[in-house]
Amino acid sequence: MIRSGISAIRRLSSAPGNSSFFFRQLFDHESSTYTYLLGDLVSKECILIDPVLEQVERDKQAVHQTGLNLKFAINTHVHADHITGTGLLKKSTNCKSIISKYSGAKADIYVEDGDNIEFGQFALTVRPTPGHTNGCVTYVLESQKCAFTGDALLIRGCGRTDFQEGDAATLYDSVHAQIFSLPDDFTLYPAHDYKGWTATSVREEKLYNPRLSKSKEQFVEIMKNLNLAYPKKIDVAVPANRVCGIQD
Amino acid sequence: MIRSGISAIRRLSSAPGNSSFFFRQLFDHESSTYTYLLGDLVSKECILIDPVLEQVERDKQAVHQTGLNLKFAINTHVHADHITGTGLLKKSTNCKSIISKYSGAKADIYVEDGDNIEFGQFALTVRPTPGHTNGCVTYVLESQKCAFTGDALLIRGCGRTDFQEGDAATLYDSVHAQIFSLPDDFTLYPAHDYKGWTATSVREEKLYNPRLSKSKEQFVEIMKNLNLAYPKKIDVAVPANRVCGIQD
């Protein structure tokens, strides 16, 4: 297992609003997935969080045209609604793939609680947020006062808990312990949105999330009664994502 | 004409990355329109750029749940592809509407070259960018190193020049004189995107815009040969937008 660029020691990177920080949010209309490109304009190192297979060419264009070099392709979890672009990105760039140790998926690097993923002078810190799946993690970029919550926390919503290793009580504990414990003004970026929202904040979700602002008992009851349809792509997406999106 | 909060004198607001600055990008899937909520967390004043009629409730929720008060509802131009939410926002909040003096549309406040639209300690500066329509303007937020380009400049594209007062040569001159003259690292936020991009930069568009990085003659030729379909909503949207989205 390669651990270059991964550090288990918490390290605060640069100051908020550092002008060498590059951020670009990207959207896949088919699966309503947000992909994030984060970079350091000095070292030119960048990372992609939750790339989508069908958008790999667009994402590579974004990396190239902003003058950056892709160091890591990172997933927040094993997705059930789209195939990750990570495998294809690995084939056509020098990037390494990263996912949680508890995801059950293949990757070059496995991360766990407290690990730092470094790109240039910046670093994402891993916080485990299981409940939607066992391997769900939230990546916190403390220097920029933001976090990437995957499907654990969506804007005024949350990921499903009725498939894969879903467990509503676990998800509730994860969000309250690992995300709502961040400062109120941290911006939160989810893996999906269906209503045209692009971001939220810790404060907003603590106050206005219709599920997670409730008690744990109420939350479990809400999640039990969602009666959602079987996910269209799950039988294709989950096995593919366990091998990084493509067969070797 | 009310001009409170509008200043003809160029005034630099606060430093880049000022933490009292609030920014939220919102998307309308039907018309692929981006609406922008910008606010000052100290004074609580905020503005909306290019609100969409069908999203007024969502936008009001965004304003309310972030603890802000809507001062201005602003359009970059008279849209042909959706009806503005400005009229409905005026009916249900205390906001004033703003549009270019050369738009031909009704509004509480008309702006022109060099005017500043103030919200709290921040200010948008008006730059005329005609060519898609006569009244198209770009709003520059110098303190945050960004600009809102409406349909004058889209990400790797631009607005059409084959209807309303469209003129390709005028659009080319506008973009080059008023947008490409901003610093390379300014982030540009368009009124629309159809491919999942959310933002771009002056540098990227100068280098990679497939139309506007060309010569003026080539640009005019490209725009002449686009052979685009007649806009679906233009016959409803343009008359409605001339009266701020709704009849009195």
Side-chain angles (χ1 to χ4, degrees):
Chain A
M1 191 176 73
I2 300 156
R3 299 206 33 116
S4 146
I6 305 295
S7 138
I9 300 151
R10 197 176 185 92
R11 195 191 69 146
L12 203 66
S13 39
S14 60
N18 184 313
S19 66
S20 79
F21 179 66
F22 179 84
F23 174 83
R24 188 67 51 85
Q25 186 172 24
L26 301 152
F27 188 66
D28 174 57
H29 286 276
E30 173 68 21
S31 62
S32 297
T33 301
Y34 281 122
T35 297
Y36 300 93
L37 171 59
L38 313 180
D40 173 12
L41 296 172
V42 175
S43 69
K44 308 292 185 197
E45 285 184 349
C46 74
I47 61 174
L48 280 165
I49 300 176
D50 288 336
V52 172
L53 182 62
E54 291 81 1
Q55 301 290 356
V56 162
E57 283 310 308
R58 179 202 60 187
D59 296 351
K60 282 169 62 180
Q61 183 190 341
V63 169
H64 169 72
Q65 294 189 347
T66 47
L68 297 166
N69 302 311
L70 187 63
K71 186 177 183 186
F72 298 127
I74 303 176
N75 282 290
T76 52
H77 67 293
V78 171
H79 310 280
D81 50 2
H82 69 275
I83 297 177
T84 179
T86 306
L88 192 55
L89 284 163
K90 269 170 54 74
K91 283 207 169 179
S92 52
T93 72
N94 289 320
C95 76
K96 300 290 175 193
S97 59
I98 296 184
I99 201 162
S100 161
K101 189 178 168 181
Y102 305 103
S103 64
K106 269 180 66 174
D108 295 317
I109 303 170
Y110 297 105
V111 288
E112 60 187 312
D113 193 5
D115 279 350
N116 286 319
I117 300 169
E118 294 172 8
F119 54 106
Q121 66 190 290
F122 302 101
L124 293 178
T125 305
V126 177
R127 291 191 176 202
T129 46
H132 170 65
T133 74
N134 284 345
C136 281
V137 296
T138 289
Y139 296 110
V140 179
L141 187 57
E142 194 161 322
S143 68
Q144 304 302 312
K145 303 179 83 169
C146 64
F148 302 86
T149 59
D151 286 8
L153 182 70
L154 304 179
I155 301 169
R156 311 294 190 267
C158 64
R160 298 171 62 158
T161 54
D162 59 339
F163 59 70
Q164 287 173 285
E165 307 100 356
D167 183 85
T170 303
L171 180 60
Y172 188 90
D173 290 341
S174 289
V175 171
H176 279 257
Q178 303 288 2
I179 301 175
F180 286 179
S181 60
L182 291 166
D184 270 4
D185 64 345
F186 268 43
T187 302
L188 301 176
Y189 294 103
H192 300 286
D193 187 81
Y194 307 91
K195 294 180 179 173
W197 300 91
T198 59
T200 184
S201 70
V202 171
R203 177 189 163 277
E204 284 170 65
E205 295 308 317
K206 278 161 72 174
L207 287 173
Y208 300 112
N209 189 295
R211 300 175 184 174
L212 285 153
S213 61
K214 301 283 194 301
S215 73
K216 188 167 163 179
E217 291 65 34
Q218 289 173 302
F219 177 75
V220 169
E221 202 55 30
I222 290 168
M223 296 307 287
K224 201 185 288 175
N225 294 297
L226 290 179
N227 298 316
L228 299 168
Y230 189 72
K232 273 183 290 188
K233 294 195 175 178
I234 190 169
D235 296 323
V236 173
V238 170
N241 287 330
R242 289 209 178 106
V243 291
C244 213
I246 49 170
Q247 309 293 334
D248 281 331
Chain B
M1 191 176 73
I2 300 155
R3 299 206 32 116
S4 147
I6 305 295
S7 138
I9 300 151
R10 198 177 184 91
R11 195 191 69 144
L12 203 65
S13 40
S14 60
N18 184 313
S19 65
S20 79
F21 179 65
F22 179 84
F23 174 83
R24 188 67 51 86
Q25 187 171 25
L26 301 153
F27 188 66
D28 174 57
H29 286 276
E30 173 67 21
S31 62
S32 297
T33 301
Y34 282 122
T35 297
Y36 299 93
L37 171 59
L38 314 181
D40 173 13
L41 296 172
V42 175
S43 70
K44 308 293 183 195
E45 286 184 349
C46 74
I47 60 174
L48 280 165
I49 300 176
D50 288 335
V52 172
L53 182 62
E54 291 80 1
Q55 302 290 354
V56 161
E57 283 310 308
R58 179 201 62 188
D59 296 351
K60 282 168 61 181
Q61 183 190 342
V63 168
H64 169 71
Q65 294 189 348
T66 48
L68 297 166
N69 302 311
L70 188 63
K71 185 177 183 186
F72 298 127
I74 304 175
N75 283 290
T76 53
H77 66 292
V78 171
H79 309 280
D81 51 2
H82 69 275
I83 297 177
T84 178
T86 305
L88 192 54
L89 283 163
K90 268 170 55 73
K91 285 207 170 179
S92 52
T93 72
N94 288 320
C95 77
K96 299 291 175 193
S97 58
I98 297 184
I99 202 163
S100 162
K101 189 177 168 180
Y102 304 103
S103 64
K106 268 179 65 173
D108 295 316
I109 304 170
Y110 297 105
V111 288
E112 60 187 311
D113 192 5
D115 278 349
N116 286 319
I117 300 169
E118 294 172 9
F119 54 106
Q121 65 188 293
F122 302 100
L124 292 177
T125 305
V126 176
R127 290 192 176 202
T129 46
H132 171 64
T133 74
N134 284 345
C136 281
V137 296
T138 289
Y139 296 111
V140 179
L141 187 57
E142 193 161 321
S143 68
Q144 305 302 313
K145 303 180 82 167
C146 64
F148 302 87
T149 60
D151 285 10
L153 182 70
L154 304 179
I155 302 169
R156 311 294 190 269
C158 63
R160 297 171 63 157
T161 53
D162 59 339
F163 59 69
Q164 286 172 287
E165 308 99 355
D167 183 86
T170 303
L171 181 59
Y172 188 91
D173 290 341
S174 290
V175 171
H176 280 257
Q178 303 288 2
I179 301 174
F180 286 0
S181 60
L182 291 166
D184 270 4
D185 64 345
F186 268 42
T187 303
L188 302 176
Y189 294 102
H192 300 285
D193 188 80
Y194 307 91
K195 294 181 179 174
W197 300 91
T198 59
T200 183
S201 69
V202 171
R203 177 189 163 278
E204 284 170 65
E205 296 308 317
K206 279 160 73 174
L207 286 173
Y208 301 112
N209 189 295
R211 300 175 184 174
L212 285 152
S213 61
K214 302 283 195 299
S215 74
K216 187 168 166 179
E217 291 66 34
Q218 289 174 301
F219 178 75
V220 170
E221 202 55 30
I222 290 168
M223 296 307 286
K224 200 184 290 174
N225 294 298
L226 291 180
N227 299 316
L228 299 168
Y230 189 72
K232 273 182 290 187
K233 294 196 176 178
I234 191 169
D235 296 322
V236 173
V238 170
N241 288 330
R242 287 209 179 106
V243 290
C244 213
I246 50 170
Q247 310 292 333
D248 282 331

